[in-house]
Coordinates of all heavy atoms in Angstrom, one line a residue:
E165 N 85.3 135.8 91.6 CA 85.9 134.7 92.3 C 86.7 133.8 91.3 O 87.8 133.4 91.7 CB 84.8 133.8 92.9 CG 84.1 134.4 94.1 CD 83.0 133.6 94.7 OE1 82.7 132.5 94.1 OE2 82.4 134.0 95.7
A166 N 86.3 133.7 90.1 CA 87.1 132.9 89.1 C 88.4 133.7 88.8 O 89.5 133.1 88.7 CB 86.3 132.7 87.8
A167 N 88.3 135.0 88.6 CA 89.5 135.8 88.3 C 90.4 135.8 89.5 O 91.6 135.8 89.4 CB 89.1 137.2 87.9
S168 N 89.8 135.8 90.7 CA 90.6 135.8 91.9 C 91.4 134.5 92.1 O 92.6 134.5 92.5 CB 89.8 136.1 93.1 OG 90.5 136.0 94.3
Q169 N 90.7 133.4 91.7 CA 91.4 132.1 91.8 C 92.5 132.0 90.7 O 93.6 131.5 91.1 CB 90.4 131.0 91.5 CG 90.9 129.6 91.7 CD 89.9 128.5 91.6 OE1 88.7 128.8 91.3 NE2 90.3 127.3 91.9
M170 N 92.3 132.5 89.6 CA 93.4 132.5 88.6 C 94.5 133.4 89.0 O 95.7 133.0 88.8 CB 92.8 133.1 87.2 CG 91.8 132.2 86.6 SD 92.5 130.6 86.1 CE 93.6 131.1 84.8
A171 N 94.2 134.5 89.6 CA 95.3 135.3 90.1 C 96.0 134.7 91.3 O 97.2 134.9 91.5 CB 94.8 136.7 90.6
G172 N 95.3 133.8 92.1 CA 95.9 133.1 93.2 C 96.9 132.1 92.7 O 97.8 131.7 93.5
Y173 N 96.8 131.6 91.4 CA 97.8 130.7 90.9 C 99.2 131.3 90.8 O 100.2 130.6 90.5 CB 97.4 130.2 89.6 CG 96.2 129.3 89.7 CD1 95.3 129.2 88.6 CD2 95.9 128.5 90.8 CE1 94.2 128.3 88.7 CE2 94.8 127.6 90.9 CZ 93.9 127.6 89.8 OH 92.9 126.8 89.9
L174 N 99.3 132.7 90.9 CA 100.6 133.3 90.8 C 101.4 133.2 92.1 O 102.5 133.5 92.1 CB 100.3 134.8 90.5 CG 99.6 135.2 89.2 CD1 99.4 136.7 89.1 CD2 100.4 134.6 88.0
R175 N 100.7 132.7 93.1 CA 101.5 132.4 94.4 C 101.4 130.9 94.6 O 100.4 130.2 94.8 CB 100.8 133.1 95.6 CG 100.9 134.6 95.5 CD 100.1 135.2 96.6 NE 100.4 134.7 98.0 CZ 101.4 135.2 98.7 NH1 102.1 136.3 98.3 NH2 101.7 134.8 99.9
I176 N 102.6 130.2 94.5 CA 102.7 128.8 94.6 C 103.1 128.4 96.0 O 104.1 128.9 96.5 CB 103.7 128.2 93.6 CG1 103.3 128.6 92.1 CG2 103.9 126.7 93.7 CD1 104.3 128.1 91.1
T177 N 102.3 127.5 96.6 CA 102.6 127.1 98.0 C 102.8 125.6 98.1 O 102.5 124.9 97.2 CB 101.4 127.5 98.9 OG1 100.2 126.9 98.4 CG2 101.2 129.0 98.9
A178 N 103.4 125.2 99.2 CA 103.7 123.8 99.4 C 102.4 123.0 99.8 O 101.7 123.4 100.6 CB 104.7 123.6 100.5
P179 N 102.2 121.9 99.1 CA 101.0 121.1 99.4 C 101.1 120.2 100.7 O 100.1 119.8 101.2 CB 100.8 120.2 98.2 CG 102.2 120.0 97.6 CD 102.9 121.3 97.9
F180 N 102.3 119.9 101.1 CA 102.6 119.1 102.3 C 103.9 119.4 102.8 O 104.8 120.1 102.2 CB 102.4 117.6 102.0 CG 103.2 117.1 100.9 CD1 104.6 116.8 101.1 CD2 102.7 117.0 99.6 CE1 105.4 116.3 100.0 CE2 103.5 116.6 98.5 CZ 104.8 116.2 98.8
A181 N 104.2 118.9 104.0 CA 105.5 119.1 104.6 C 106.5 118.2 104.0 O 106.3 117.0 103.8 CB 105.5 118.8 106.1
G182 N 107.7 118.7 103.6 CA 108.7 117.9 103.0 C 110.0 118.7 102.8 O 110.2 119.6 103.5
V183 N 110.8 118.2 101.8 CA 112.1 118.8 101.5 C 112.2 119.1 100.0 O 111.7 118.2 99.2 CB 113.2 117.9 102.0 CG1 114.6 118.5 101.6 CG2 113.2 117.7 103.5
V184 N 112.7 120.2 99.7 CA 112.9 120.5 98.2 C 114.1 119.7 97.8 O 115.2 119.9 98.3 CB 113.1 122.0 98.0 CG1 113.4 122.3 96.6 CG2 111.9 122.8 98.5
T185 N 113.9 118.8 96.8 CA 115.0 118.0 96.3 C 115.5 118.4 95.0 O 116.5 117.9 94.5 CB 114.5 116.5 96.3 OG1 113.4 116.4 95.4 CG2 114.1 116.0 97.6
E186 N 114.8 119.3 94.3 CA 115.2 119.7 93.0 C 114.7 121.1 92.7 O 113.5 121.4 93.0 CB 114.7 118.7 91.9 CG 115.3 119.0 90.6 CD 114.9 117.8 89.6 OE1 114.8 116.7 90.1 OE2 114.8 118.1 88.4
R187 N 115.5 122.0 92.1 CA 115.1 123.3 91.6 C 115.6 123.4 90.2 O 116.8 123.4 89.9 CB 115.6 124.4 92.5 CG 115.2 125.8 92.0 CD 115.9 126.9 92.8 NE 117.4 126.8 92.7 CZ 118.1 127.3 91.7 NH1 117.5 127.9 90.6 NH2 119.4 127.2 91.6
N188 N 114.7 123.7 89.2 CA 115.1 123.7 87.8 C 115.1 125.0 87.2 O 115.7 125.2 86.1 CB 114.1 122.8 87.0 CG 114.1 121.3 87.5 OD1 115.2 120.7 87.5 ND2 113.0 120.8 87.9
L189 N 114.4 126.0 87.7 CA 114.3 127.3 87.1 C 114.8 128.5 88.0 O 114.9 128.3 89.2 CB 112.8 127.6 86.7 CG 112.2 126.5 85.8 CD1 110.7 126.8 85.6 CD2 112.9 126.5 84.4
A190 N 114.9 129.6 87.4 CA 115.4 130.8 88.1 C 114.5 131.9 87.8 O 113.7 131.9 86.8 CB 116.8 131.2 87.6
P191 N 114.5 133.0 88.6 CA 113.6 134.2 88.3 C 113.8 134.7 86.9 O 114.9 134.8 86.4 CB 114.0 135.2 89.4 CG 114.5 134.3 90.5 CD 115.2 133.2 89.9
G192 N 112.7 135.1 86.3 CA 112.7 135.6 84.9 C 112.3 134.6 83.9 O 112.0 134.9 82.7
A193 N 112.2 133.3 84.2 CA 111.9 132.2 83.3 C 110.4 132.3 83.0 O 109.6 132.6 83.8 CB 112.2 130.9 83.9
F194 N 110.1 132.1 81.7 CA 108.7 132.0 81.3 C 108.2 130.6 81.5 O 108.7 129.6 81.0 CB 108.5 132.4 79.8 CG 107.1 132.3 79.3 CD1 106.2 133.1 79.9 CD2 106.8 131.4 78.3 CE1 104.9 133.1 79.4 CE2 105.5 131.4 77.8 CZ 104.5 132.2 78.4
V195 N 107.1 130.5 82.3 CA 106.6 129.2 82.8 C 105.1 129.1 82.5 O 104.5 130.1 82.2 CB 106.9 128.9 84.3 CG1 108.4 128.9 84.6 CG2 106.2 130.0 85.1
G196 N 104.6 127.9 82.6 CA 103.2 127.7 82.4 C 102.9 126.6 81.4 O 103.8 126.0 80.8
P197 N 101.6 126.2 81.3 CA 101.3 125.1 80.3 C 101.8 125.4 78.9 O 102.1 124.5 78.1 CB 99.7 125.1 80.4 CG 99.4 125.7 81.7 CD 100.5 126.7 82.0
G198 N 101.9 126.7 78.5 CA 102.3 127.0 77.2 C 103.8 127.5 77.2 O 104.2 128.2 76.2
G199 N 104.5 127.3 78.3 CA 105.9 127.8 78.4 C 106.8 127.0 77.5 O 106.5 126.0 76.9
Q200 N 108.1 127.5 77.4 CA 109.0 126.9 76.5 C 109.7 125.7 77.2 O 110.4 124.9 76.5 CB 110.1 127.9 76.2 CG 109.6 129.1 75.4 CD 110.7 130.1 75.1 OE1 111.8 130.0 75.6 NE2 110.4 131.1 74.3
T201 N 109.5 125.5 78.4 CA 110.0 124.3 79.1 C 109.0 123.6 79.8 O 108.0 124.1 80.3 CB 111.1 124.8 80.1 OG1 111.6 123.6 80.8 CG2 110.6 125.8 81.1
N202 N 109.1 122.2 79.9 CA 108.2 121.4 80.6 C 108.7 121.0 82.0 O 108.2 120.1 82.6 CB 107.8 120.2 79.8 CG 107.0 120.5 78.6 OD1 106.1 121.4 78.6 ND2 107.3 119.8 77.5
L203 N 109.8 121.6 82.4 CA 110.4 121.2 83.7 C 109.6 121.8 84.8 O 109.0 122.9 84.7 CB 111.8 121.8 83.8 CG 112.8 121.2 82.8 CD1 114.2 121.9 83.0 CD2 113.0 119.7 83.1
P204 N 109.4 121.1 86.0 CA 108.8 121.7 87.1 C 109.7 122.7 87.7 O 110.9 122.7 87.6 CB 108.6 120.5 88.1 CG 109.7 119.5 87.7 CD 109.9 119.7 86.2
I205 N 109.0 123.7 88.5 CA 109.8 124.7 89.1 C 110.6 124.1 90.2 O 111.8 124.3 90.3 CB 108.8 125.8 89.7 CG1 108.1 126.5 88.6 CG2 109.6 126.8 90.5 CD1 107.1 127.5 89.0
V206 N 110.0 123.3 91.1 CA 110.7 122.6 92.2 C 110.1 121.2 92.3 O 109.0 121.0 91.9 CB 110.7 123.3 93.5 CG1 111.5 124.6 93.5 CG2 109.2 123.6 94.0

Side-chain angles (χ1 to χ4, degrees):
E165 290 177 355
S168 177
Q169 185 174 7
M170 292 296 293
Y173 292 149
L174 298 177
R175 291 173 58 87
I176 298 179
T177 57
F180 54 83
V183 174
V184 177
T185 59
E186 187 174 330
R187 178 186 62 81
N188 297 305
L189 301 175
F194 179 61
V195 296
Q200 298 178 354
T201 174
N202 292 324
L203 294 175
I205 298 177
V206 293

